[in-house]
Amino acid sequence: MKRFLLFLPLVVALGIGAFALWGLWADRNPKEVPSALISKPAPEFDLPPIPGVDVPGLKRADLTAGGPPVLVNVFASWCVPCKAEHAVLSRLVKEKGVVLYGINYKNKAEDARNWLADLGNPYSRIGFDLSGRVAIEWGLTGVPETFIVRGDGTVVYRYVGPIVGADAQKKVMSALREAGWKEAGK
Amino acid sequence: MRRLRFLVAAILIGVAPILSLAVEPDEILDDPVLEARAREISAQVRCVVCQNESIDTSNAGIARDLRILIRERLVAGDTDQEIFDFLVARYGDFVLLKPPFKPETWALWFAPFVIAAAGAAGIFVLVRRVNRRAAAGPGQLSEEELAQIEKIIQNEKAEADS
């Protein structure tokens, strides 16, 4: 017992050191804050479509209709990382058959229209959130941000930042599968 | 010294308007009482973009939206608590700069006191042990030790004589 007490200060110091090291760890992202929405129902909202874009708007009822889990992606034409992410999202829709909804955040209709015409529109529904109020309902901290919503309208996952690179895609895909999503034809 | 003080004051005065610029004129409410409450609430709400800043001093777009939202809800007659609850429901406890006091955060709130108490207890025990030893006086030497000392003294003497 006495022997053990002798080492106690060392153990405590190592513990504090490990905690400090964790704080300085380069791979740790201090901006990664868990969303308050996880395992909660999607917020109440009803957004009109972007004027002049031929996909319907987005409202809560669209997320509670049952069916496979969907991606809800918050994007804007002025957001550069969104452009990088756009190719990934398009591929997920085209090749894997993922259902993708969009919330167009604080974007002029014309800019959003041009952006989608330019890059293509992978979204099957887009809500036009000019004031950014609905984004606050979703607890948005920046664009882009992507949520996974189950067929019953429960938010199960959030990805902050662009889904670019193998790691990010793997994370999102495994979260999708965990939410009950199955790749078409498998 | 006086010069230095002047310099510091000048810098502070120069910086003050920059620090308080985040709240833009078009956001400010006509009712000074409500505006004061809005400022007080905003100062306790974390900016989710810049993280270590309150929304009251942040120039981020979402911070501005939240400031306006808080003012709208104040005008609509919300209490301060209702506004905090509204924000926490969307952004979690993280949005509060001061962590709330509840079972999940007990470790956070009590840890400093527990560590201080443990340290004080340790020092108390140590001091008492040292005191007790001092009060008991020097211990008695055994026969064997006395004989050994005697032998050393004899040797020394013999060496000194030779």
Side-chain angles (χ1 to χ4, degrees), chain B residues 72-91:
Chain B
E72 279 177 16
R73 297 191 72 91
L74 279 173
V75 170
D78 269 18
T79 64
D80 291 8
Q81 194 53 50
E82 277 168 342
I83 291 173
F84 285 129
D85 290 346
F86 174 88
L87 292 170
V88 167
R90 280 149 190 81
Y91 285 101

Side-chain angles (χ1 to χ4, degrees), chain A residues 68-69 91-100 181-184:
Chain A
R91 209 172 49 236
L92 287 184
V93 172
K94 209 187 263 174
E95 290 174 11
K96 310 241 176 190
V98 173
V99 180
L100 177 68
W181 177 81
K182 283 186 191 67
E183 203 168 325

Side-chain angles (χ1 to χ4, degrees), chain B residues 29-42:
Chain B
L29 296 173
D30 295 331
D31 183 342
V33 179
L34 282 185
E35 177 62 23
R37 267 176 69 199
R39 293 298 299 266
E40 202 180 312
I41 293 170
S42 305

Side-chain angles (χ1 to χ4, degrees), chain A residues 2 30-31 33-34 36-37 40 105-106 131-133 135-142, chain B residues 48-51 61-62 65-66 68-69 72 86-94 129:
Chain A
K2 274 263 165 75
K31 291 207 152 195
V33 178
L37 242 65
K40 295 223 175 87
Y105 178 69
K106 287 196 175 180
S131 68
R133 275 305 160 85
I136 288 178
E137 294 295 320
W138 282 85
L140 189 87
T141 60
Chain B
V48 287
V49 182
C50 9
Q51 307 229 328
I62 291 179
D65 289 351
L66 287 176
I68 294 173
L69 195 100
E72 279 177 16
F86 174 88
L87 292 170
V88 167
R90 280 149 190 81
Y91 285 101
D93 286 337
F94 180 73
R129 199 179 289 168

Side-chain angles (χ1 to χ4, degrees), chain A residues 12 15-16 32-33 61 69 78 114 127 137 167 180:
Chain A
V12 169
I16 293 170
E32 223 164 72
V33 178
W78 47 261
N114 290 340
E137 294 295 320
D167 263 13

Side-chain angles (χ1 to χ4, degrees), chain A residues 6-31:
Chain A
L6 212 61
F7 288 103
L8 194 62
L10 181 70
V11 170
V12 169
L14 284 178
I16 293 170
F19 184 69
L21 201 65
W22 171 79
L24 291 170
W25 204 251
D27 286 345
R28 189 182 73 94
N29 181 6
K31 291 207 152 195

Side-chain angles (χ1 to χ4, degrees), chain A residues 120-154:
Chain A
N121 178 10
Y123 303 96
S124 42
R125 286 177 175 279
I126 302 176
F128 183 52
D129 187 18
L130 186 59
S131 68
R133 275 305 160 85
V134 167
I136 288 178
E137 294 295 320
W138 282 85
L140 189 87
T141 60
V143 270
E145 232 169 70
T146 307
F147 297 86
I148 294 176
V149 183
R150 261 198 334 235
D152 61 352
T154 312

